[in-house]
Amino acid sequence: MAGVQVANVSRSFGAHKALDNVSIDFPDGGFYALLGPSGSGKTTLLRQIAGFDFPDSGRIAIGGESVERVPVEKRRIGMVFQNYALFPNMSVADNVAFGLSVRGEPKAAIATEVQRALDLVQLGKLGGRKPHQLSGGQRQRVALARAIVTKPRVLLLDEPLGALDKALRVDMQIELKRIQREIGITTIFVTHDQEEALTMSDRIGILRDGRLVQEGPPEEIYDRPQSEFAATFLGDANIFRGDATGSGIKLSDGTTIAASTGASVPAGAKASCAVRPERIRISTGAATAGAGNANVLAGWVSKRIFAGNNSTYFVERDGQTLKVIVQNTGAERLAEGQPVVLSWSPDSTVLIAA
Amino acid sequence: MAHQLAIGSRRGLRPALPLLLPAYLWLTVAIFLPLSAMAFFSFMTDLPLAGKEWSFTLGNYAAFFSQSVYSTLLIASLRLGLEVTLWCVVIGYPAAYVLAKVLKGRSREAIFLLVILPFWSNGLVRIFSWAMVLREGGILDTALNAVLPFKINIDLMYSYPAVIIGLVHSYVPYMVLTCYLTLQAIDDSLIEAGRSLGASRRQVLWRVIIPLSMPGLIAGAALIFVPVVGSFMEPRILGGRTGTFYGTVIEDQFVAVFNWPLGAALSFILLAVVLIILALAAPVLRRAA
Ligand SMILES: Nc1ncnc2c1ncn2[C@@H]1O[C@H](COP(=O)(O)OP(=O)(O)OP(=O)(O)O)[C@@H](O)[C@H]1O
Ligand SMILES: [Mg+2]
């Protein structure tokens, strides 16, 4: 088992910088999610670590040793491809056995290892099938068993759940996480599903246009995004832009918004504030600014979207639409067009340098 | 249950009939009619031309078994077919691999054209070009002597190797094409998956790529082996006196000796032998594929 260090890695395709000076430390035994919009360089980064492609500059180390001159087959990685890439001419068991048999391990040992791996992914009885006789979720589990049976140092997963429907996806997330914990393998997981990244990983790295925007534990990125992009890409956020006052920002209409987390921005500089929709309280009465409620704005409800356990209100105010998420507790629902008052705490407000 | 199945399959076939009809008409006219005429001839004592006397006989078939020269030549031709097919695999498969997996864009198109070009040139022109290259004092001889410091004599003309060279050149595009098609269908991620599991390039080739391209290899081999066993043009022009094969003997019966019935009988024996070989090979090949 080993951690992976990526240091100042750049990779260009022609004039296009797919990776631009990316440095990430993937901790030993951790579950790391690489998150980013399409074309942000997630797959490219994974391919550098796997050794299918080579950086123009920068260093990659696995388990503390540089892998610059180590070919793919010697890196001892396990990879699960987005399309699973199962060998169509081999049975499930032969697919899983492939990595052991190219090493020349004895047949009997291979058979027990393969059975163990198939049991681990709960496919113990399907060893004799061909890949085309399996469902999507089963194929994904075969790909996973094949990748872990060789006891790799690092497990690389490129959007392995992308092709699955929502329910199966959640099942597979839980199962993947269970297996990862069981064998304690360093895992790098590419996804563009933010919910998946939040629920599964110990750490998240957000990529955008080949650059690392922010990285850290999920709670930290969610609670203290360092850029508007990070705030809006991972979860939903209301963004206010204005001039920094030292303890928050002042909007163009003179309203001040107090923020007690995030960056420290010198007074007078451009800055923005981010507030998560579920942190805002919405009421019809006149709310007074209190200790835990320092930020107060008035507006009116333009739209309400009911989503079962919660409702999203869109509130118009001074040319800006704000989102507020309210748990459905059975209390009175607000009608569209109704004037409302929004209030939230400075603790829930993150100051972001422009 | 069986009844339902029958209805199901009939329902599946009926809409397809108008689509199949042109193909079957063409097969009837182009293959079945001439072939039945030939089958008819093969049982006759002489051609029914110019009022000649003729009757039915099995003598033409008996000739194959009574005179050992025919079976000796047939074995030589089968060996020729095998050798040419093997050389086509050795040359064509790597070429197809490079085309499908290494080259991209423009250079792929250019090389592809070069591979297909012999296909589009006239067979006779192709063979006579080889004659100019291979004969003593020909292009190969002159070129080698111009480069090498010592004098050597290259005269491949009228030899078994010349026949092999000519035939391989004529038939290798089939192998390249069939293998290219199957190789191109192999997803690159399968190759990468193999490598990530610890297999070297060579192991990936033997365990993933070759098994997956087996259908192309088999199709190419069948397309090459069958016509080469019956070939006569290349053996005659490039082989000279050494170029007597089963195919040239059949050709002689039709164009020189005018013994069509014997030629037809020999053709059908060849067809039977080739079909038996393919039938025997089928289970083995199917397992490999
Ligand atoms: N072999 C290549 N040749 C040229 N450009 C490439 C190549 N591979 C990737 N790119 C470019 O690099 C950028 C990053 O691609 P990459 O595949 O890493 O994106 P991604 O983050 O995995 O996106 P997605 O979520 O859509 O899979 C893209 O703009 C892509 O077009
Ligand atoms: Mg990708």
Side-chain angles (χ1 to χ4, degrees):
Chain A
M1 235 49 81
V4 177
Q5 290 80 41
V6 169
N8 308 106
V9 164
S10 295
R11 174 74 170 108
S12 299
F13 297 105
H16 180 78
K17 279 192 169 171
L19 290 176
D20 188 1
N21 200 19
V22 173
S23 301
I24 304 178
D25 201 343
F26 300 94
D28 189 357
F31 195 109
Y32 196 108
L34 279 175
L35 192 61
S38 188
S40 56
K42 306 180 296 289
T43 299
T44 307
L45 180 57
L46 220 54
R47 292 174 60 81
Q48 315 295 314
I49 297 169
F52 297 133
D53 192 33
F54 298 91
D56 301 327
S57 62
R59 263 187 71 250
I60 295 171
I62 299 177
E65 75 187 278
S66 171
V67 290
E68 202 175 333
R69 287 172 196 289
V70 184
V72 182
E73 66 267 27
K74 297 261 164 61
R75 291 196 181 188
R76 298 192 17 234
I77 49 143
M79 179 126 184
V80 175
F81 294 78
Q82 181 158 19
N83 63 356
Y84 314 135
L86 298 177
F87 305 123
N89 55 327
M90 298 180 201
S91 69
V92 165
D94 287 344
N95 262 282
V96 178
F98 185 89
L100 299 171
S101 101
V102 293
R103 275 191 212 161
E105 289 192 15
K107 279 223 162 60
I110 292 179
T112 45
E113 285 292 308
V114 167
Q115 195 53 47
R116 252 229 310 267
L118 285 175
D119 288 340
L120 189 67
V121 296
Q122 299 173 358
L123 287 178
K125 292 198 180 68
L126 299 187
R129 294 237 192 129
K130 284 282 178 74
H132 68 88
Q133 297 168 317
L134 300 178
S135 73
Q138 290 169 333
R139 277 180 222 179
Q140 192 260 334
R141 282 183 277 169
V142 175
L144 186 62
R146 185 178 70 170
I148 58 180
V149 77
T150 55
K151 304 212 163 48
R153 299 184 290 179
V154 182
L155 188 58
L156 305 172
L157 304 138
D158 192 355
E159 298 194 39
L161 310 180
L164 307 181
D165 68 54
K166 184 79 186 161
L168 191 54
R169 206 172 158 124
V170 172
D171 285 351
M172 296 311 304
Q173 286 173 358
I174 294 166
E175 195 153 342
L176 185 59
K177 193 66 202 180
R178 169 183 68 81
I179 292 166
Q180 193 265 340
R181 270 211 208 95
E182 217 166 298
I183 57 178
I185 187 174
T186 309
T187 303
I188 306 176
F189 182 89
V190 165
T191 175
H192 57 222
D193 180 335
Q194 39 140 328
E195 208 178 305
E196 200 166 271
L198 282 170
T199 53
M200 294 181 76
S201 48
D202 309 322
R203 288 179 84 81
I204 294 176
I206 300 181
L207 285 174
R208 182 199 195 182
D209 295 334
R211 251 175 274 201
L212 184 67
V213 175
Q214 187 175 354
E215 71 114 32
E219 299 85 355
E220 186 186 307
I221 299 187
Y222 190 78
D223 291 338
R224 286 188 296 285
Q226 289 162 5
S227 60
E228 285 183 22
F229 178 79
T232 50
F233 192 75
L234 194 74
D236 241 328
N238 295 298
I239 303 283
F240 300 95
R241 297 194 186 93
D243 300 311
T245 60
S247 62
I249 59 169
K250 188 182 204 122
L251 307 184
S252 54
D253 65 354
T255 319
T256 56
I257 293 185
S260 55
T261 52
S264 58
V265 183
K270 291 271 172 223
S272 38
C273 281
V275 192
R276 299 289 178 193
E278 72 276 14
R279 300 287 178 86
I280 300 179
R281 275 185 294 271
I282 189 165
S283 59
T284 46
T288 45
N293 249 13
N295 295 312
V296 178
L297 289 175
W300 55 277
V301 175
S302 63
K303 200 164 145 193
R304 167 174 167 265
I305 294 173
F306 176 72
N309 61 354
N310 66 56
S311 292
T312 303
Y313 289 101
F314 291 84
V315 176
E316 300 296 325
R317 158 254 147 233
D318 194 26
Q320 190 178 10
T321 308
L322 303 174
K323 245 187 193 179
V324 180
I325 295 178
V326 178
Q327 290 300 309
N328 285 329
T329 54
E332 173 203 6
R333 285 167 190 157
L334 302 172
E336 292 178 3
Q338 187 164 358
V340 289
V341 172
L342 306 179
S343 60
W344 68 94
S345 148
D347 293 336
S348 304
T349 316
V350 187
L351 190 61
I352 294 168
Chain B
M1 184 69 200
H3 180 65
Q4 275 176 334
L5 275 180
I7 288 176
S9 64
R10 214 180 303 145
R11 202 177 284 150
L13 193 62
R14 197 171 295 157
L17 270 181
L19 297 174
L20 287 172
L21 210 61
Y24 277 108
L25 265 179
W26 168 248
L27 283 179
T28 312
V29 174
I31 295 176
F32 187 69
L33 287 182
L35 218 57
S36 358
M38 276 298 152
F40 188 63
F41 284 157
S42 72
F43 291 104
M44 288 161 59
T45 49
D46 208 340
L47 276 185
L49 293 172
K52 272 191 262 178
E53 288 288 309
W54 64 274
S55 59
F56 284 110
T57 175
L58 283 174
N60 297 316
Y61 288 94
F64 177 86
F65 296 100
S66 57
Q67 283 162 268
S68 67
V69 58
Y70 294 123
S71 49
T72 311
L73 283 176
L74 180 58
I75 286 165
S77 279
L78 291 173
R79 194 188 129 204
L80 181 73
L82 207 63
E83 265 182 63
V84 169
T85 308
L86 281 179
W87 280 113
C88 285
V89 171
V90 169
I91 296 167
Y93 191 80
Y97 182 83
V98 170
L99 271 172
K101 291 286 169 216
V102 181
L103 296 177
K104 301 253 138 59
R106 266 279 126 101
S107 48
R108 175 190 285 182
E109 287 166 24
I111 303 286
F112 209 96
L113 205 68
L114 280 182
V115 172
I116 303 299
L117 217 54
F119 242 16
W120 293 341
S121 60
N122 179 289
L124 267 180
V125 171
R126 208 161 49 211
I127 295 164
F128 278 109
S129 322
W130 274 114
M132 280 163 62
V133 171
L134 297 175
R135 70 162 201 272
E136 191 178 7
I139 296 169
L140 185 64
D141 194 22
T142 319
L144 275 180
N145 277 314
V147 178
L148 295 174
F150 49 88
K151 173 95 185 118
I152 53 163
N153 245 340
I154 300 272
D155 184 13
L156 282 173
M157 203 49 197
Y158 306 129
S159 69
Y160 189 65
V163 177
I164 298 270
I165 290 173
L167 282 168
V168 168
H169 181 237
S170 297
Y171 285 97
V172 81
Y174 288 103
M175 189 58 81
V176 177
L177 279 178
T178 55
C179 290
Y180 173 80
L181 289 178
T182 48
L183 280 167
Q184 215 201 15
I186 299 175
D187 197 326
D188 284 346
S189 67
L190 291 181
I191 297 169
E192 291 183 345
R195 300 258 283 146
S196 75
L197 290 165
S200 63
R201 280 173 198 280
R202 180 189 295 252
Q203 283 174 314
V204 168
L205 180 70
W206 281 103
R207 285 166 178 254
V208 179
I209 300 174
I210 290 183
L212 285 176
S213 48
M214 208 39 108
L217 279 166
I218 291 169
L223 282 177
I224 292 167
F225 178 75
V226 176
V228 165
V229 172
S231 66
F232 54 86
M233 213 153 62
E234 288 89 350
R236 193 178 292 290
I237 298 170
L238 297 173
R241 250 184 308 119
T242 62
T244 307
F245 287 95
Y246 197 74
T248 59
V249 169
I250 295 178
E251 190 212 4
D252 279 341
Q253 305 312 312
F254 282 99
V255 303
V257 191
F258 287 108
N259 191 348
W260 284 32
L262 180 59
L266 291 177
S267 298
F268 279 105
I269 289 168
L270 174 62
L271 184 63
V273 169
V274 165
L275 286 179
I276 289 168
I277 289 174
L278 291 183
L280 289 179
V284 184
L285 295 176
R286 202 173 302 130
R287 211 172 325 121

